[in-house]
Amino acid sequence: MTISVTETKLHLYRQQFPALANKTYFNYGGQGPMPKASMDAITQAQAYIQEIGPFGNAVGKWIGQEVKATRIAIASELTVQPETITITENVTVGCNIAMWGIEWQAGDHLLLSDCEHHSVVAIAQEISRRYSVEVTTCPLMPTLNEGDPVAVIAQHLRPNTRLVVLSHILWNTGQVLPLDKIVEKCRDNNSLLLIDAAQSVGSLPLNLTELGVDFYAFTGHKWLCGPAGIGGLYVSPEIRTSLKPTFVGWRSIITDSQGMPVDWQPNGQCYEVATSDYPLYAGLREAIAIHQKWGTAEERYQQICRNSEYMWQRLRTLPDVHLLRTSPPESGLVSFQLTQSKPHSHPQLVNFLESQGLFIRIIANPNCVRACVHYFTLKSEIDQLVEGIREWLMANS
């Protein structure tokens, strides 16, 4: 078999990700493999801190430069101004900042979809308990293959809907929501819009300035393949003055000559609290730089879609496999069910595949199995996964 120049280049490119050397990986939506350059950057930064500090004027100046450079790198992926970015640990922290920062009143309405992560659902439930806010859910899962998610959301908006919380890419089914149209509906209703961007940052080409969302919470450790423990929150400039910090620390405030707090930081830093694991910042920047060197966000996304369509087509050839989507996916998430499955078939399949070096995961709602492809996923890897599933089906038929 002749290997093309493109395939050879891709194999060389993948050597930057040590985790891909000994496994066939389809869990990018859970955590991406870090490139070696990121791991080296973290180690070097940690050593440098100890060499010059770890606490002093020199290290303080260095940390300031690291924070600034990281905001700029993140902003370049989202097409926003760096000052709109709050650096957090993960998506959930970003969602907490946005959801708790609203000055809720009894009788307000908070709208979720039926495809949101349980961490977001739990935040909404506690807000409801504390402030007598009514939380309802709109059914987006049935719109995966037919129907209009925008119309469904519009039907569930109320005059008192303060906040709508949705995912850009639904983490269980892989559906991409048309946010531009949803933004319009929320604006017309004077409702704020928070986006759980766990599956979209590093996956979709994004321009949040044009999109017009109010809040966009994301992480660096999934599709960006950065280290766990660093993420962010975009807050639109128009909203920042009304979103009050819930957790407060020295990073979020301005102090006077006596060290006393006198005001909030005039940018996304106002939601940051205190000391962070700063070496992770260098790791995330390296990961972002590697992706950007491969191609534009649009080019990466198109390759993700080509790979997911290939997986979708290959999975269709298997007996007893039901794909949730009836048409090729529009994201890197491909979810399916075993049609003749017994109660524990999905976990058994996932465990079997992992024993063969093939990494996928189960999803509770809907009860299914999810595999993720990135732009650097190989067709041969997808073929291996399909053959692994076929082997398990034959052994358990």
Side-chain angles (χ1 to χ4, degrees):
M1 181 179 65
T2 303
I3 299 177
S4 69
V5 174
T6 302
E7 288 176 304
T8 301
K9 183 180 177 182
L10 186 55
H11 279 280
L12 290 172
Y13 181 82
R14 286 165 53 89
Q15 291 177 10
Q16 298 178 93
F17 300 85
L20 301 180
N22 64 345
K23 65 184 67 65
T24 307
Y25 198 71
F26 298 100
N27 275 336
Y28 298 98
Q31 185 157 344
M34 262 201 299
K36 187 175 186 301
S38 291
M39 292 185 275
D40 290 344
I42 293 169
T43 301
Q44 292 165 9
Q46 195 69 265
Y48 185 68
I49 289 173
Q50 299 307 312
E51 176 187 339
I52 66 170
F55 191 91
N57 292 330
V59 76
K61 182 178 180 181
W62 177 84
I63 288 172
Q65 294 169 343
E66 290 291 290
V67 172
K68 180 179 179 180
T70 303
R71 284 192 214 282
I72 291 172
I74 292 172
S76 70
E77 278 290 293
L78 307 183
T79 319
V80 296
Q81 293 300 311
E83 59 266 23
T84 63
I85 298 298
T86 298
I87 300 177
T88 68
E89 289 75 30
N90 48 54
V91 176
T92 305
V93 171
C95 289
N96 270 281
I97 291 171
M99 294 175 75
W100 287 107
I102 294 171
E103 296 184 357
W104 295 101
Q105 302 294 323
D108 285 342
H109 176 231
L110 195 165
L111 179 63
L112 306 174
S113 88
D114 58 349
C115 293
E116 301 314 310
H117 193 271
H118 39 272
S119 59
V120 170
V121 175
I123 300 169
Q125 289 175 340
E126 183 59 15
I127 287 173
S128 175
R129 187 190 69 82
R130 290 195 191 185
Y131 299 114
S132 298
V133 169
E134 185 177 3
V135 177
T136 63
T137 301
C138 60
L140 294 189
M141 202 176 299
T143 69
L144 176 61
N145 295 307
E146 58 184 11
D148 182 0
V150 179
V152 171
I153 293 166
Q155 290 167 4
H156 286 77
L157 289 172
R158 302 176 183 177
N160 63 335
T161 303
R162 292 285 302 279
L163 178 68
V164 179
V165 185
L166 304 169
S167 297
H168 198 162
I169 298 179
L170 303 184
W171 75 296
N172 44 13
T173 68
Q175 181 178 3
V176 181
L177 297 183
L179 282 195
D180 53 345
K181 297 177 182 177
I182 294 170
V183 166
E184 291 180 6
K185 295 295 183 182
C186 290
R187 280 184 175 172
D188 291 344
N189 199 64
N190 292 317
S191 302
L192 297 173
L193 178 61
L194 164 62
I195 298 302
D196 178 334
Q199 303 301 329
S200 53
V201 170
S203 174
L204 297 180
L206 297 169
N207 188 326
L208 300 190
T209 302
E210 290 185 359
L211 197 56
V213 296
D214 300 303
F215 314 110
Y216 205 80
F218 55 93
T219 185
H221 75 270
K222 294 180 185 285
W223 295 90
L224 286 176
C225 301
I230 178 169
L233 172 69
Y234 164 80
V235 179
S236 69
E238 297 79 12
I239 298 300
R240 188 169 62 234
T241 55
S242 63
L243 186 77
K244 303 304 179 184
T246 299
F247 290 98
V248 178
W250 60 265
R251 282 171 70 179
S252 57
I253 58 173
I254 296 173
T255 57
D256 62 17
S257 60
Q258 303 299 310
M260 295 301 292
V262 294
D263 205 348
W264 303 111
Q265 291 287 348
N267 49 39
Q269 190 177 333
C270 66
Y271 307 112
E272 296 171 8
V273 182
T275 304
S276 294
D277 191 354
Y278 298 113
L280 299 181
Y281 290 32
L284 178 58
R285 292 201 310 275
E286 284 292 335
I288 291 173
I290 284 172
H291 295 312
Q292 292 179 343
K293 287 176 183 176
W294 189 89
T296 65
E298 179 64 32
E299 290 169 338
R300 286 177 266 150
Y301 172 61
Q302 292 302 324
Q303 187 58 50
I304 286 173
C305 289
R306 285 191 287 269
N307 290 339
S308 62
E309 180 174 2
Y310 182 74
M311 176 181 282
W312 182 83
Q313 295 284 9
R314 293 286 283 113
L315 288 171
R316 290 180 71 197
T317 68
L318 295 177
D320 301 329
V321 168
H322 167 68
L323 288 148
L324 297 192
R325 286 195 63 96
T326 57
S327 58
E330 53 194 351
S331 71
L333 284 66
V334 182
S335 297
F336 63 92
Q337 297 167 325
L338 303 177
T339 57
Q340 303 298 326
S341 65
K342 298 176 183 178
H344 302 292
S345 293
H346 288 162
Q348 289 171 358
L349 171 63
V350 170
N351 291 338
F352 167 77
L353 291 173
E354 188 163 331
S355 73
Q356 305 300 305
L358 300 156
F359 285 70
I360 62 175
R361 65 163 294 177
I362 58 172
I363 297 289
N365 184 30
N367 181 20
C368 64
V369 180
R370 190 189 76 185
C372 303
V373 292
H374 218 312
Y375 65 87
F376 48 80
T377 298
L378 301 172
K379 284 188 175 180
S380 60
E381 291 184 299
I382 297 171
D383 292 337
Q384 290 175 44
L385 175 63
V386 172
E387 290 310 308
I389 297 171
R390 189 191 307 275
E391 180 182 344
W392 187 88
L393 289 170
M394 291 178 63
N396 290 273
S397 59

